[in-house]
Amino acid sequence: AKTVISLTILAQVAGGCIGTWAVRRMAAGKVLFISSVGLAAIAGAFCHVGQGQQIQFTLLAVLLGFVWLLASPFHISLALRADPAGETAAVIPALQLLGVALGPLAASFVVREVDARPAMEVGALFAIAVVVLLAISRGRSAKMVQSV
């Protein structure tokens, strides 16, 4: 368990560093869309990890940590574009912490006894919801740009 935690934290640091470097070089909407699809796929893959599959679990945990923190600078980037004064960007870390708390709360309603796999399904549903919301918002912003 200690090794998994250490490797996941290392991946989070790497993802955050790479995201910070890439945020000025890549389109935020595309990166967030791709990372959301990736997070949904990772959550779905977790559903298929059985007992005794420590290597698969570790790889998925590391990948999850990397992708999650890679996306974080892009959230701030989008918020600063929408609100150059930075007031919106200032609340993003608090909202991310709220999301980190609400995810396990929602998952706690479906986890039974020793089977935690339904928690991964909740995570996958949240990630799919993000992908859908991003797709809707991209469509709306494209229509707004065309009408101006």
Side-chain angles (χ1 to χ4, degrees):
K2 292 178 188 177
T3 303
V4 175
I5 292 169
S6 298
L7 289 172
T8 302
I9 291 172
L10 179 64
Q12 289 174 344
V13 170
C17 290
I18 291 170
T20 301
W21 174 83
V23 74
R24 291 183 181 242
R25 294 165 178 82
M26 300 175 81
K30 288 180 183 178
V31 171
L32 289 173
F33 183 82
I34 292 167
S35 65
S36 295
V37 169
L39 290 172
I42 293 165
F46 266 118
C47 295
H48 300 290
V49 174
Q51 284 185 326
Q53 295 181 308
Q54 291 89 354
I55 293 173
Q56 292 89 334
F57 179 86
T58 301
L59 290 174
L60 288 170
V62 167
L63 191 57
L64 175 79
F66 178 82
V67 174
W68 179 29
L69 270 286
L70 174 82
S72 188
F74 292 92
H75 295 142
I76 304 289
S77 172
L78 281 181
L80 287 173
R81 264 193 252 148
D83 176 20
E87 294 174 10
T88 303
V91 299
I92 287 179
L95 292 173
Q96 288 174 333
L97 286 173
L98 181 64
V100 169
L102 289 179
L105 175 65
S108 72
F109 294 114
V110 297
V111 172
R112 299 285 181 246
E113 298 296 321
V114 295
D115 187 14
R117 282 180 287 185
M120 297 302 126
E121 293 167 2
V122 170
L125 289 174
F126 278 131
I128 290 167
V130 168
V131 170
V132 169
L133 289 173
L134 277 170
I136 290 169
S137 69
R138 286 183 60 89
R140 282 187 176 175
S141 62
K143 286 178 187 175
M144 289 172 38
V145 169
Q146 288 174 352
S147 67
V148 173

